[in-house]
Amino acid sequence: MNDVFLALGQAGLAYCLLALAVGALAGVLLRRALPAGGIALAVTGLVMWLCDRWRDQLWPSVDLASSGPRPEVASSIWQLENGVVTSTDQRIQALMCWDPAGRARAECRAGGEVTEWYAVFHPSSHFWPIQLVETGIVLTLTVVLTAAAFVVLRRRHA
């Protein structure tokens, strides 16, 4: 989902406005265009990386548990985690539990008997709320930086 997230919504446009605001503030402070452009690139890249890293936490995820067969989740969801729950209520991620041949690894057998499967995910209905929250964060930062650029400009040219 992270690969196409910015291409499908308004958050990509918000990042463009953020880069413009960072570049304007850096240009007013440095009075040099090329270093200001480099700073705009670096700061915008950092904000994009931070939002990408914590995007899954911008909206509450959904937990699905099944004591029967492993729950099947649709391909249109953003799956964050899946695995098993042991008799001691310990969650063990599926990737840590099974080798390629389908046998349980020793650390999973030591955790107790498997009682149910679980999955943590964002369904496709969470796409727009996550887009809007991220856009709001980026635009708020953009407004703050734009205001700071105008304050600096006014002080330097008053």
Side-chain angles (χ1 to χ4, degrees):
M1 176 162 162
N2 291 337
D3 297 337
V4 297
F5 186 80
L6 295 178
L8 294 178
Q10 70 277 1
L13 180 60
Y15 282 110
C16 293
L17 294 173
L18 174 68
L20 182 64
V22 173
L25 178 60
V28 169
L29 289 172
L30 299 176
R31 297 181 184 182
R32 309 262 314 157
L34 190 58
I39 289 172
L41 177 67
V43 170
T44 305
L46 176 66
V47 172
M48 288 177 78
W49 178 77
L50 289 172
C51 285
D52 184 49
R53 183 174 175 142
W54 289 306
R55 184 173 292 137
D56 62 329
Q57 298 173 16
L58 294 177
W59 202 256
S61 58
V62 175
D63 282 359
L64 175 68
S66 172
S67 57
R70 184 176 183 172
E72 292 295 324
V73 290
S75 61
S76 63
I77 66 150
W78 178 17
Q79 190 164 341
L80 305 173
E81 184 181 331
N82 68 15
V84 296
V85 180
T86 64
S87 57
T88 59
D89 285 334
Q90 178 185 7
R91 283 187 168 194
I92 302 174
Q93 288 192 18
L95 291 177
M96 297 171 42
C97 236
W98 309 101
D99 64 14
R103 295 184 302 268
R105 294 188 175 148
E107 58 266 18
C108 294
R109 289 189 300 249
E113 182 182 331
V114 172
T115 58
E116 63 184 10
W117 294 90
Y118 77 94
V120 180
F121 60 93
H122 284 292
S124 58
S125 63
H126 287 188
F127 178 81
W128 287 111
I130 293 172
Q131 270 278 343
L132 292 173
V133 169
E134 184 170 341
T135 301
I137 291 168
V138 174
L139 288 178
T140 301
L141 186 56
T142 301
V143 167
V144 169
L145 292 172
T146 302
F150 277 107
V151 167
V152 170
L153 184 64
R154 184 175 186 153
R155 286 191 179 158
R156 290 217 172 147
H157 297 291

